[in-house]
Amino acid sequence: MDIRVRNIVKDYGRTAALEGVSLDIASGELVALLGPSGSGKTTLLRIIAGLDVPTSGQVFFGEEDASHTPVQDRNVGFVFQSYALFKHMTVLENIGFGLSVRDGKTRPSAGEIRRRSMELLDLVQLSGLEKRYPGQLSGGQRQRVALARALAVEPRVLLLDEPFGALDAKVRKDLRRWLREIHERTGHTTVFVTHDQDEALELADRVAVLNHGKIEQIGTPDTIYDRPETPFVFRFIGESHAVPVMVHDGKVWLAGQPILMAAGGLSEGPAALHLRPHDVEFAAHAGDALPARILSVRRSGPTRRAEIRLSDVEAVFEIDAPAALTVKPGEERPVRILRGRVFPV
């Protein structure tokens, strides 16, 4: 089931949560809505679900305009961060709840509900726990039950709101891998909200980055990380630093000398060079490099992370160096900028 969102606006009094958002999601695609708190990502998800009504705009499920369809008639599966399981029901009863409360014409028999619930219990790798209650499960297990319950109603669309937000880092990582496997097996059109960039880049087919109620960029994880279109996306995805530069004669100038980077048609004048730690390296000599002083050094996994200050400008940023390279605070070492992205100020 493909989803089309057209010019969605959502106002809360004088506050605009969404400002003309449009988004196309292909059938079977897994899309992440990524952004900081207050960016509008959860509001957009709730409007797709029918839990919120837009101020204006439309939501299409396939060719059907579902903008005014009540949530109970949209046939979506929704997974909340807080699990929202019924504490007095067993795992099996929780999974089958959505089927058991259907009206007489569409409600399966008790035997069919149990059969389908047991199949889903096996799918989410919780076989043997059907008689337990939510309070007897770990956080990761409860989230699996919540997903099984959402899948039980055979939804047209699966929506997840910060599904792993309440879990610790190790469990989050395990469940991310598991959710991707579930998606590939079931093929549901899936939209999930997260503020965790690693989660979005690892899980999603495409990522929509939201900021202040607008989509700044949408693309594959590789496109979002390697070719950010705005300063916000560059800053929000991965580690980065902004260094003041000048654009002159079609070249980018830093610390009084041109660097090997195209100006990209930018107007002459002040600009900002956005860098990631792996975009800069220590140079063997200063011929084509910039003089810098090392402020601090720390070990970071297989590399060393050095904080440096360029000698001729007030620019401080971090770079990655091989762990075998010996560098010390206070040392003067030239650096070479390998890549980056220049944006107008």
Side-chain angles (χ1 to χ4, degrees):
M1 174 63 67
D2 61 297
I3 304 170
R4 289 178 293 136
V5 174
R6 290 289 176 268
N7 299 314
I8 291 292
V9 173
K10 179 62 177 179
D11 294 328
Y12 293 102
R14 296 183 178 181
T15 302
L18 295 171
E19 300 182 26
V21 169
S22 293
L23 176 65
D24 288 340
I25 300 171
S27 180
E29 192 174 25
L30 197 160
V31 170
L33 304 180
L34 174 67
S37 297
S39 60
K41 56 188 186 296
T42 294
T43 301
L44 178 57
L45 191 78
R46 289 177 62 84
I47 286 174
I48 293 173
L51 295 170
D52 272 347
V53 178
T55 304
S56 62
Q58 295 172 289
V59 176
F60 291 88
F61 285 2
E63 297 303 316
E64 173 195 344
D65 185 350
S67 306
H68 302 289
T69 303
V71 60
Q72 63 269 21
D73 296 330
R74 293 197 186 193
N75 193 22
V76 299
F78 205 105
V79 179
F80 298 89
Q81 177 180 341
S82 59
Y83 321 126
L85 300 178
F86 298 108
K87 297 179 181 180
H88 65 287
M89 291 184 180
T90 65
V91 165
L92 200 66
E93 290 168 340
N94 265 286
I95 294 173
F97 177 77
L99 296 173
S100 65
V101 296
R102 284 182 172 176
D103 60 40
K105 295 180 180 179
T106 58
R107 184 172 64 243
S109 67
E112 175 63 15
I113 292 174
R114 178 179 174 79
R115 184 195 64 79
R116 195 179 302 181
S117 298
M118 291 296 288
E119 285 182 353
L120 287 167
L121 200 63
D122 182 59
L123 179 68
V124 299
Q125 302 172 1
L126 291 178
S127 295
L129 303 183
E130 62 271 13
K131 294 182 180 180
R132 292 194 184 182
Y133 290 88
Q136 298 172 308
L137 303 177
S138 68
Q141 289 172 330
R142 278 179 279 183
Q143 195 58 284
R144 292 179 187 226
V145 173
L147 180 59
R149 183 179 60 183
L151 293 173
V153 297
E154 298 180 332
R156 295 189 293 178
V157 176
L158 183 61
L159 307 174
L160 304 97
D161 187 9
E162 299 271 9
F164 310 134
L167 305 173
D168 62 53
K170 174 65 169 62
V171 176
R172 286 173 71 111
K173 191 168 183 65
D174 290 343
L175 284 186
R176 289 205 297 260
R177 188 183 307 111
W178 167 80
L179 180 60
R180 183 70 218 188
E181 292 173 357
I182 292 290
H183 173 76
E184 290 173 356
R185 290 176 64 180
T186 62
H188 283 89
T189 304
T190 304
V191 186
F192 76 99
V193 160
T194 182
H195 65 270
D196 185 325
Q197 55 182 274
D198 291 337
E199 194 166 278
L201 296 178
E202 181 180 335
L203 264 176
D205 297 317
R206 287 191 302 149
V207 179
V209 183
L210 282 83
N211 183 37
H212 294 307
K214 297 179 180 179
I215 293 179
E216 294 253 346
Q217 185 175 352
I218 182 166
T220 66
D222 286 344
T223 298
I224 293 292
Y225 188 89
D226 295 330
R227 296 185 294 280
E229 295 177 354
T230 69
F232 173 80
V233 176
F234 204 115
R235 291 193 305 269
F236 192 72
I237 304 294
E239 298 179 75
S240 69
H241 303 274
V243 179
V245 295
M246 291 292 295
V247 176
H248 180 63
D249 287 339
K251 298 178 180 179
V252 179
W253 295 71
L254 174 59
Q257 67 182 73
I259 59 176
L260 299 176
M261 190 162 299
L266 290 172
S267 301
E268 296 213 349
L273 170 61
H274 290 251
L275 301 166
R276 303 196 191 281
H278 57 265
D279 291 336
V280 187
E281 68 176 4
F282 287 112
H285 57 83
D288 61 344
L290 300 164
R293 174 181 290 273
I294 299 173
L295 302 180
S296 65
V297 181
R298 69 180 188 275
R299 185 64 182 260
S300 178
T303 66
R304 296 191 188 279
R305 178 64 58 87
E307 184 182 42
I308 67 168
R309 181 190 299 275
L310 294 182
S311 300
D312 297 329
V313 294
E314 287 298 316
V316 176
F317 52 92
E318 294 182 334
I319 70 173
D320 287 335
L325 182 64
T326 302
V327 290
K328 299 178 180 179
E331 188 178 350
E332 298 278 351
R333 279 206 180 230
V335 297
R336 182 184 295 110
I337 295 175
L338 305 175
R339 67 190 75 83
R341 184 73 185 271
V342 181
F343 292 101
V345 174

